[in-house]
Amino acid sequence: MFRKSIFLTILFLLLPMLLSAQTTTGRIRGRITDRQNGEPLIGANVQVVGTSFGASTDANGEYRISNLPPAVYSLKITYIGYTAITVNNIRVSADLTSDQNASLPPEGVTVATVDVTAQRPLVNKSNTNAVRITTSEDIQDLPVRGLNNIIGLTAGVTLKDNTVFIRGGRLDEVGYYLEGVSITNPVTGGRAVTINQDAVEEIQVQAGGYTAEFGGANAGIIRSQLKTGPKDLKATLEYITDNIGFKSQNNIFDSKKRLGTYWYGYDELTATLGGPVFNERFRLFGLFNYNFQRDANPQPYPGINLTNLTDAVSGDTVNLHYPAGPVRGNQNRVYTYTGTFQMDFSPIIVRLAGTYTTRQFQNSFTSRITGNIANIFNNARIQQNIVNDGNFSVKITHIINPNLFYELTGGYFLQTVKNWDPYLKDDILAYGDSAANADIGFVWRRAKGTSSFGRYIRPTQINLYDFALNAPGNVVANYVKARREDIALNGALSWNIGKVHSLKVGGEFTRYTIRNYSFNNETVFSLAGLVAQNAALPANKQQSLADIYISRGVNAFGYDALGNKYDGGGVFAPKHPIFAAGYIQDRIEFRDLIINAGIRFDHINTDNYVLKDASRPELNFNFNTSQVYP
């Protein structure tokens, strides 16, 4: 009861701010002095070029500018009786402080226009934990592509099968944030939103020691910030291909090398456009990326060429011819659209950000037969996967004064998944029906030991020295459709108290809606035969179609047993997990000592069933019908 009271109290205090997200801004601080005598300049004006951000120096010549989104900035420093200078190339990172001192020459000293290029420090002293930062400049210079490949170069990160692990933790122990909003997959863990590397301004990888702002991650946190439109109009166009000589795509599996390597069918087009709209206070950035890989995971397959190979036991004969180079049935096609629009209505700043990706790829690994080549060399009918994902957010920042501001953020996340046979698609009752397959051009060979074709008998596998190979035209796909979405409200109030304390109070609220409907391959293949057998029974002994699906173990929530969208209650109700948190923290920042102190409270409701009695599972469901008791 006491814990509930604390939680409700925190939420009540934060409601006027809508609740908020993790801070995605940084700070610049420094000291302005006279170049001749080193005396501090009181009241010098320090302006961030192209923005409404700025500050004046105090009695010690010190200044601090807060709430700067991650980017590279220039400072213009002016003071009456002194020559103005501009300091360029100041990198600001989320939650960190960049130190930048400067000295101004008196106007009596003849100097040309002063432009200073800032040097990035080897160590950022404002880090209080292990934070590794990769900037857009770093990304441009790296010889790798793909966000996971870039993150995989970070100390403490391991990349295995394109999955990120930090400090040996599991997939679901890493938290992902985009523009301050969580984009962690609520079901499996990992990053649920596709991010193109050319749209990223900064990536932060934190391996432990987080502040009270962060929760729900034991191994590490990965934060990404999208680019903001530059102060000048800029457009880029990039095309990458490994198709040397621009040969026809039909020749990709010809097993020939070009310049000492195979052609794996890689094509990528990236276009960006960014700059001011109306004036420098309104900045737009947009990106379009198209990526196609005929073989999404190139491997050094040597190729196979064995003719008239016969198994003495099974009597099966095959001609094993598989060319070296790319693997068939492993293609990947991705379209990504990303944009940001920042509007500076000083003292209120509004930032819109969004990214949306549609991905179509094949999956040659199935539950029936393992191994790419064994699965597809004799059967080109491969499972198709279609995944759409996106994240959209709006952040409002109100700067009450140079030392006090608050942020309000609203976010929406969406992911849809569809795995199916590319020919029969949603017609799952046709998957195991030979007549339905013959109608679309796949005539299965006669099953051994049967006198007739057998309309609901699966085509016999080819057995070759204990290797099982698919029969031509066999359906090998699982059937899955899923939809995951959330609405997130996030916010924080930040207050710089003097030169030492930076107090922050904030919270976050996320409500998910999760739907899933799936059959594995073996089950979906048997449905047609079971429905036919059921129809042959007397009417008083027949089961409903829904009961047949339930008895075969359909995994459904947010959809009914037949796959129709469902918003009612009971075991088929969609899942609505809720995650909420409140925190308060103080960043105590001395010149040579920084302390982050804070407290956080998390509320987690997974909205899922639990066993009434783990020692007696029979109390929870019927073993004969697979019905679950709510």
Side-chain angles (χ1 to χ4, degrees), residues 22-30 46 48 53-55 63-73 75 90-101 121 124-129 131 133 202 204 206 211 213-214 223 402-405 407 492-504 585-591 593-596:
Q22 285 70 25
T23 299
T24 57
T25 58
R27 299 165 290 276
I28 301 177
R29 72 176 181 183
V46 184
V48 181
F53 293 102
Y63 72 93
R64 178 163 60 175
I65 304 173
S66 302
N67 198 39
L68 292 171
V72 175
Y73 294 98
L75 290 182
I90 304 173
R91 163 59 68 174
V92 173
S93 298
D95 281 350
L96 301 180
T97 301
S98 298
D99 289 308
Q100 186 58 58
N101 301 322
N124 191 319
K125 296 186 295 183
S126 64
N127 282 351
T128 58
N129 62 339
V131 179
I133 300 173
E202 178 182 278
Q204 278 195 13
Q206 298 190 29
T211 62
E213 282 184 87
F214 300 100
R223 307 168 66 189
N403 294 312
L404 181 65
F405 67 91
E407 297 173 313
L493 174 69
S494 299
W495 183 18
N496 297 324
I497 306 174
K499 300 178 182 179
V500 176
H501 295 275
S502 294
L503 187 67
K504 187 171 186 179
Q585 70 179 40
D586 185 13
R587 182 182 178 91
I588 306 169
E589 195 166 351
F590 299 103
R591 180 64 60 181
L593 176 66
I594 298 173
I595 300 172
N596 269 311

Side-chain angles (χ1 to χ4, degrees), residues 308-610:
N308 295 322
L309 194 62
T310 302
D311 186 293
V313 177
S314 67
D316 290 333
T317 300
V318 297
N319 292 315
L320 275 172
H321 176 68
Y322 198 93
V327 173
R328 292 190 178 97
N330 197 32
Q331 72 179 33
N332 184 32
R333 191 186 305 271
V334 183
Y335 298 87
T336 299
Y337 312 86
T338 303
T340 64
F341 186 37
Q342 184 162 298
M343 297 167 282
D344 187 348
F345 300 104
S346 181
I348 295 177
I349 299 170
V350 180
R351 180 178 175 87
L352 307 177
T355 183
Y356 183 81
T357 297
T358 179
R359 179 184 175 208
Q360 300 177 11
F361 60 101
Q362 293 175 315
N363 184 6
S364 54
F365 293 95
T366 69
S367 57
R368 191 165 199 237
I369 297 174
T370 58
N372 293 53
I373 296 176
N375 197 19
I376 65 174
F377 98 96
N378 200 38
N379 181 24
R381 192 174 182 180
I382 305 302
Q383 174 177 300
Q384 184 182 48
N385 305 271
I386 302 173
V387 178
N388 299 310
D389 63 69
N391 187 74
F392 309 91
S393 64
V394 54
K395 182 172 76 171
I396 300 173
T397 303
H398 182 195
I399 304 173
I400 301 173
N401 61 54
N403 294 312
L404 181 65
F405 67 91
Y406 64 85
E407 297 173 313
L408 304 175
T409 304
Y412 174 71
F413 153 76
L414 171 69
Q415 183 187 60
T416 63
V417 178
K418 182 65 72 72
N419 301 341
W420 57 14
D421 176 78
Y423 298 92
L424 296 174
K425 298 185 178 180
D426 285 313
D427 190 4
I428 59 177
L429 282 179
Y431 280 36
D433 186 344
S434 63
N437 280 272
D439 289 341
I440 59 174
F442 295 99
V443 179
W444 296 337
R445 71 171 185 166
R446 180 177 299 176
K448 292 184 177 181
T450 60
S451 57
S452 61
F453 186 87
R455 178 173 177 177
Y456 301 109
I457 299 177
R458 191 161 198 167
T460 304
Q461 294 176 320
I462 298 171
N463 291 295
L464 195 65
Y465 301 107
D466 292 330
F467 285 96
L469 306 178
N470 273 312
N474 188 16
V475 177
V476 298
N478 303 309
Y479 182 82
V480 177
K481 63 178 176 181
R483 183 181 179 93
R484 303 153 187 165
E485 54 190 324
D486 76 35
I487 294 177
L489 300 176
N490 312 310
L493 174 69
S494 299
W495 183 18
N496 297 324
I497 306 174
K499 300 178 182 179
V500 176
H501 295 275
S502 294
L503 187 67
K504 187 171 186 179
V505 181
E508 56 188 58
F509 175 87
T510 304
R511 182 180 185 270
Y512 293 93
T513 299
I514 302 176
R515 305 176 188 271
N516 185 85
Y517 185 84
S518 61
F519 283 104
N520 65 35
N521 175 252
E522 298 292 338
T523 301
V524 75
F525 201 96
S526 66
L527 285 178
L530 292 173
V531 171
Q533 293 175 19
N534 183 68
L537 296 173
N540 61 344
K541 294 185 177 181
Q542 290 183 9
Q543 291 181 292
S544 68
L545 191 59
D547 286 339
I548 293 175
Y549 281 24
I550 292 172
S551 67
R552 297 305 296 165
V554 61
N555 182 16
F557 47 89
Y559 299 95
D560 62 21
L562 300 180
N564 302 305
K565 185 179 179 181
Y566 178 76
D567 286 307
V571 295
F572 293 116
K575 305 298 182 183
H576 293 295
I578 292 176
F579 294 80
Y583 63 87
I584 181 170
Q585 70 179 40
D586 185 13
R587 182 182 178 91
I588 306 169
E589 195 166 351
F590 299 103
R591 180 64 60 181
D592 299 313
L593 176 66
I594 298 173
I595 300 172
N596 269 311
I599 186 170
R600 177 185 178 92
F601 180 85
D602 284 284
H603 169 79
I604 300 174
N605 179 1
T606 59
D607 189 28
N608 208 350
Y609 289 104
V610 296

Side-chain angles (χ1 to χ4, degrees), residues 192-395:
V193 175
T194 304
I195 305 174
N196 184 268
Q197 66 179 47
D198 294 308
V200 174
E201 178 62 45
E202 178 182 278
I203 304 170
Q204 278 195 13
V205 178
Q206 298 190 29
Y210 328 123
T211 62
E213 282 184 87
F214 300 100
N218 294 328
I221 287 176
I222 299 176
R223 307 168 66 189
S224 302
Q225 186 78 5
L226 299 177
K227 291 180 177 178
T228 301
K231 63 180 180 179
D232 299 314
L233 185 65
K234 181 180 179 181
T236 66
L237 182 65
E238 181 181 40
Y239 175 66
I240 302 173
T241 183
D242 70 344
N243 186 359
I244 300 171
F246 295 95
K247 301 293 184 181
S248 168
Q249 288 284 348
N250 297 328
N251 297 329
I252 193 169
F253 299 108
D254 60 7
S255 72
K256 294 181 180 179
K257 289 187 175 182
R258 298 165 177 82
L259 297 182
T261 188
Y262 294 106
W263 167 28
Y264 287 95
Y266 185 96
D267 286 290
E268 182 172 12
L269 175 69
T270 304
T272 67
L273 178 64
V277 179
F278 308 122
N279 58 56
E280 289 185 352
R281 293 193 174 190
F282 298 83
R283 297 188 182 184
L284 178 69
F285 172 80
L287 173 142
F288 167 75
N289 176 264
Y290 167 75
N291 181 272
F292 176 75
Q293 300 173 71
R294 183 69 68 178
D295 182 358
N297 186 29
Q299 298 290 329
Y301 287 119
I304 300 172
N305 189 13
L306 300 172
T307 59
N308 295 322
L309 194 62
T310 302
D311 186 293
V313 177
S314 67
D316 290 333
T317 300
V318 297
N319 292 315
L320 275 172
H321 176 68
Y322 198 93
V327 173
R328 292 190 178 97
N330 197 32
Q331 72 179 33
N332 184 32
R333 191 186 305 271
V334 183
Y335 298 87
T336 299
Y337 312 86
T338 303
T340 64
F341 186 37
Q342 184 162 298
M343 297 167 282
D344 187 348
F345 300 104
S346 181
I348 295 177
I349 299 170
V350 180
R351 180 178 175 87
L352 307 177
T355 183
Y356 183 81
T357 297
T358 179
R359 179 184 175 208
Q360 300 177 11
F361 60 101
Q362 293 175 315
N363 184 6
S364 54
F365 293 95
T366 69
S367 57
R368 191 165 199 237
I369 297 174
T370 58
N372 293 53
I373 296 176
N375 197 19
I376 65 174
F377 98 96
N378 200 38
N379 181 24
R381 192 174 182 180
I382 305 302
Q383 174 177 300
Q384 184 182 48
N385 305 271
I386 302 173
V387 178
N388 299 310
D389 63 69
N391 187 74
F392 309 91
S393 64
V394 54
K395 182 172 76 171

